[in-house]
Amino acid sequence: MAKRDYYEVLGVERSADDAALKKAFRQQAKKYHPDLNPGDKEAEAKFKEINEAYEVLSDSQKRAAYDRFGHEGMNGAAGGPGGGYGDFGGFGGFGGGFGGFDDILNSFFGGGAGGSSHRNGPIAGDDLRYDVRLTFEEAAKGCEKEINLVRDEACEHCGGTGAKPGTQPETCSTCGGSGQVRATTNTPFGRIQNVRPCDKCRGTGKIISDPCPKCNGRAKVRVSKRKTVRIPAGIDNGQVVTIRGQGELGENGGPAGDLLIVVHVQPHKLFRREGYNLHIEIPVTFTQAALGGSIDVPTLDKPIRHELQEGTQPGQVYRLKGMGIPVINSSAKGDMFVTIKVEVPRKLSDKQKEILRNFEDCMTGREYEEKKSFFERVKEAFNP
């Protein structure tokens, strides 16, 4: 199958800058990330395609070759090793200059920048991922959980400048504050101009001669603090609570990332959940099923009394409206489905057996409608 255009894969214009490329990549990659789409082969394939596209377009040298020669330039046809463009082969999966699958995970959930170069423009902060474990009741009713949030925050000592209080960062004389320098390379196909981060200021556009003693010129410090997060009622296993702007700090005025709370719900000993509905199986005696009567039905709050119909059959299901799981961010609730399990008595005494025989002798056969219907069907089947 022919490869799609890399710009089309990321959904950006060919003139998109580095910030736009990264933003588009993060949006697309989070949508199709394997952790959020377990077992989805199509999502996994799209994630690989997005990774490959960003790997090329985020590298100025590879992007220049791709813009000029297309996918052929990535297969060694446009120079290959020794041809001035570097080695573009072998990164179709999660390898290559972007840093591999682990770096993809880190870029989403609290790691580094995935191997991409620093730029002088605004860069969004990375997302942070935390896993929380909930009981069945906590997920159904909602709760608050305290987590240990470890992230970078702006250094209060220097006000986030990275420079010692009373001083200011200076504009880099090498790149003029752009954070980038241009270099021209002669190749068999002509002159190619490459843009790379400035080595002197490391792509920041600023030089800090007298760094802040608190943050050592980083402009931010690593802090650990306890944070209470609210888990909404009705959340299910594997769902994610997103808290905007509570991830890692952005750079150069870019927005902070998000805090992703991934929920893991323990199974319940009685209830089984399907969507917002609850299912439970309740055993009753033969007498209760035949004569009807009241039974206690457990719910997430407290047991309720429910009336069995006379002649309740094994496997019969009663629906209790509004007794299920709350719908997230809504006043609505699912239903509870009660399946009746008629338990046949064991280890009967002689007296009990005699009573049952007398009971059976009193039956006319009309009381067992399903039995009568079954044997009529048998008769019709063998005596057409």
Side-chain angles (χ1 to χ4, degrees):
M1 182 180 294
K3 287 187 177 181
R4 288 200 298 157
D5 179 77
Y6 287 148
Y7 293 97
E8 179 186 343
V9 170
L10 295 180
V12 297
E13 299 292 334
R14 301 188 75 85
S15 59
D17 59 14
D18 293 326
L21 284 172
K22 182 172 184 179
K23 180 179 179 181
F25 166 72
R26 287 167 59 86
Q27 290 175 343
Q28 293 281 354
K30 280 195 286 187
K31 180 178 179 181
Y32 296 109
H33 197 282
D35 277 2
L36 303 181
N37 299 276
D40 190 335
K41 296 299 182 183
E42 182 178 353
E44 181 180 343
K46 288 185 178 179
F47 183 72
K48 291 181 180 180
E49 183 183 42
I50 293 162
N51 177 43
E52 179 180 329
Y54 184 71
E55 181 183 11
V56 171
L57 299 184
S58 63
D59 185 291
S60 58
Q61 190 174 11
K62 293 179 182 179
R63 182 176 179 179
Y66 177 74
D67 287 344
R68 188 166 185 179
F69 302 104
H71 290 295
E72 290 299 319
M74 305 297 99
N75 296 327
Y85 300 111
D87 183 8
F88 299 110
F91 57 82
F94 294 106
F98 187 68
F101 184 75
D102 290 337
D103 288 332
I104 292 285
L105 292 177
N106 289 336
S107 71
F108 290 135
F109 305 127
S116 58
S117 302
H118 289 287
R119 295 293 184 264
N120 200 28
I123 300 175
D126 293 316
D127 293 339
L128 289 175
R129 167 178 172 157
Y130 280 80
D131 293 75
V132 298
R133 299 191 178 278
L134 307 179
T135 66
F136 195 91
E137 289 82 357
E138 286 176 329
K141 298 180 179 181
C143 63
E144 291 186 344
K145 285 289 182 179
E146 192 176 65
I147 65 172
N148 186 39
L149 184 59
V150 181
R151 65 181 179 185
D152 284 335
E153 293 188 358
C155 177
E156 296 181 355
H157 190 68
C158 64
T161 66
K164 183 178 180 179
T167 68
Q168 292 292 329
E170 302 173 356
T171 301
C172 176
S173 58
T174 300
C175 65
S178 68
Q180 300 175 339
V181 292
R182 298 179 181 274
T184 301
T185 303
N186 294 319
T187 75
F189 300 96
R191 295 164 61 86
I192 292 182
Q193 191 175 66
N194 299 318
V195 179
R196 59 177 176 80
C198 175
D199 293 332
K200 185 175 182 181
C201 66
R202 297 183 180 179
T204 64
K206 301 290 183 180
I207 298 294
I208 299 177
S209 302
D210 198 357
C212 169
K214 182 74 173 180
C215 65
N216 295 319
R218 293 182 63 242
K220 51 190 176 183
V221 292
R222 200 69 172 169
V223 299
S224 174
K225 61 174 59 176
R226 304 299 291 178
K227 180 177 179 62
T228 300
V229 296
R230 188 182 71 83
I231 307 297
I235 198 162
D236 204 354
N237 184 60
Q239 291 184 325
V240 179
V241 177
T242 301
I243 304 176
R244 302 295 182 190
Q246 293 298 305
E248 293 285 9
L249 281 178
E251 297 183 19
N252 304 324
D258 299 331
L259 176 60
L260 307 178
I261 307 297
V262 183
V263 172
H264 304 274
V265 183
Q266 299 174 2
H268 199 275
K269 293 181 179 180
L270 295 178
F271 301 116
R272 176 172 54 84
R273 177 173 177 173
E274 289 186 3
Y276 292 108
N277 296 326
L278 285 178
H279 294 258
I280 187 171
E281 189 176 77
I282 297 181
V284 300
T285 67
F286 167 78
T287 305
Q288 286 176 305
L291 302 180
S294 298
I295 61 171
D296 288 329
V297 177
T299 71
L300 288 173
D301 296 315
K302 59 182 179 180
I304 62 172
R305 300 291 289 176
H306 179 72
E307 292 295 324
L308 288 181
Q309 299 172 355
E310 183 178 314
T312 293
Q313 299 299 306
Q316 186 167 334
V317 179
Y318 290 92
R319 180 180 182 181
L320 306 182
K321 292 186 177 181
M323 299 303 296
I325 302 288
V327 178
I328 293 180
N329 298 325
S330 171
S331 60
K333 284 187 175 183
D335 301 327
M336 178 182 285
F337 294 87
V338 180
T339 301
I340 299 301
K341 179 181 179 182
V342 179
E343 185 174 4
V344 177
R346 297 181 176 89
K347 300 180 181 179
L348 297 175
S349 67
D350 290 340
K351 183 178 179 180
Q352 291 169 330
K353 292 178 182 178
E354 184 64 26
I355 291 173
L356 284 179
R357 292 189 184 100
N358 292 334
F359 169 78
E360 186 66 22
D361 290 340
C362 294
M363 305 300 288
T364 65
R366 293 191 300 271
E367 298 85 358
Y368 297 105
E369 295 180 359
E370 291 189 17
K371 179 180 178 181
K372 179 181 177 181
S373 175
F374 173 75
F375 282 107
E376 286 178 350
R377 294 198 303 271
V378 170
K379 184 178 180 180
E380 291 176 359
F382 290 98
N383 298 282

